[in-house]
Amino acid sequence: MFKKTKEPQLDMFSSPSGLFSGKSQKIYNNGAAWHNRFRQQVTLRIIESIFKPLYSNDNGTPNASVRILVSMMILKEAEGLSDQKLFENCRFNMLTRSAIGLLNANAPIPADSTYYLFRKRIVDHVNAGNANLLEVAFAQVTKGQCMDFEVSGKRIRMDSKLLGSNIAWLSRYELIHETLRLFYNKVKQSGEIDQATTASLDELLETEGYKVVYACSGEEIKTRLQKLGELIYHLLPLFSNSAAAHYQTLERVFHEQFSVGENKMVIARKNEEITTRSVQSPHDTDCTYRNKDGNKVKGYSINITESCDDEGGLNLIGNVDVRVVSASDLDFFQDATNKVQDAFTSKIEAAHVDGAYHSVDNQRFCKENVIELHLHAITGPKARYNLSFSDDKLSVTDTLTNEMIESKKLTNKEGIVRWRIKTGSDRNGNDYRYFDQKDIDTCLIRRKITETPIEILKKRNNVEATVFQVGYHYPNDKSRYRGLVKHQMWANIRCFWVNFVRILNFILQLNSKIPFFENVRFAQHCATCFYSLFDIVVYLCSYRYPMFQKNKYSCL
């Protein structure tokens, strides 16, 4: 049953503020210390009612504090702690306890099982087709922070990062072998498999997959692969109506790796027929494969969008989106822009991205929403011909020879307009090159990028540092988690922490910039208050001790 967290009442006997003394007490009570700032800017900002769908409405024991559970998850990823170290800090580290809202030394933390169950409920909630509640909580907290610190978000920038799942790299044979082994171990004792099939499976699966690949030749691997495909084809109909574990994964792997030809003959697909979205591991069926500029990853793509307003101001991450690694960068742009618009206080006027986000749809989206799109590059080689369109005429310049080439406008039966130039690249000098509106637009964009001032181009660069900070604890670009939902949770939790560190540094920076004359004025004000208070005390004491009135400053 869901219950909101009540504000804790300080206990004079168990409050750390009363247990400490001297410098320790001063550090603990310092409002600018990280633990007090974290409690104010993160823990107390978490809206617990967001997580109400995870709990029953009318029965069950009340839940543990949602604020504390979420704060524990953030502090775990803040320093890359193990679960054991996290619970140790929450029990015995007074600063950690203060940060998550446990202000009394005798206040208990949630049980280990409660912490894990809370995470599992978030995952199950998403798998049931609902929103990721941690993402919703991050959006709400960030919106409040932007309002309090006046983060306008008129300019945004975004970049992506590839992150590998916590799985082993499997060859094609190892993938099929391991998937079948997991399924077979669950159904071996069901009695549905005949003795001959059982004997064949025991023989093939007796040796682990990686040992088979290491010891067998290429032809032997092909033979064993064919036998595995035939056995899987025989097993699938036997358990089609059951809820056996790993059945859906086995069925998916079979259709991705094999085809059934005439006479129900199982045939292994060619490597080029297998897509990058195919299953990469039976232990993480969400992750896909991507080769980005030689960086081969089996996992996920993380897209980060943040504000990039004037220098010296506070910039925060407004949205983080996690998808399978085969997702293209340009697919992130519109969703991310719409989501950060809700977080920031002002309308987005400009977006700074690299060439991977460029597409005709994204250009149209920016035009419709009056957003100036600053591209820092465009994918693909530099064009040979420079195009300029005016008065319904296309001017074409060969950048190699600086020669102006005459173009001719053509319209086909469908009404599509193109322009043609004669390149003379064949033997008879009659070869032609055609240009459409897309080529003209691309040329204009390249020219705009060239003419963009360096000060504007530099605004995107710092987002790469943000991407580095979010994935700081995974320098080898491989996470500790499996599954899309868990990676989405991890990304939002890391952005919670990165935003908090920025806020903490921003406040310290503001405090250090207080002008000297303001400090002097404050000291004069304190002195005036002191002497006024002293005069009152002297006035009250003068009735009993007249000496105070005669020489009231003798005691100073």
Side-chain angles (χ1 to χ4, degrees), residues 102-155:
L102 297 176
L103 300 180
N104 292 321
N106 59 356
I109 69 169
D112 300 12
S113 58
T114 302
Y115 175 82
Y116 295 124
L117 181 60
F118 179 71
R119 293 180 61 93
K120 181 178 182 300
R121 283 177 171 172
I122 295 176
V123 175
D124 293 341
H125 188 73
V126 178
N127 290 334
N130 301 303
N132 188 329
L133 298 183
L134 269 179
E135 181 179 349
V136 177
F138 173 75
Q140 292 291 338
V141 171
T142 304
K143 185 174 183 178
Q145 292 170 341
C146 290
M147 292 179 64
D148 289 350
F149 293 95
E150 299 180 351
V151 180
S152 68
K154 291 183 179 180
R155 290 182 179 272

Side-chain angles (χ1 to χ4, degrees), residues 81 120 149 173 257 313 391 445 482 530:
L81 302 176
K120 181 178 182 300
F149 293 95
Y173 176 83
Q257 301 291 336
D391 299 331
I445 292 172
R482 295 173 179 174
F530 171 77

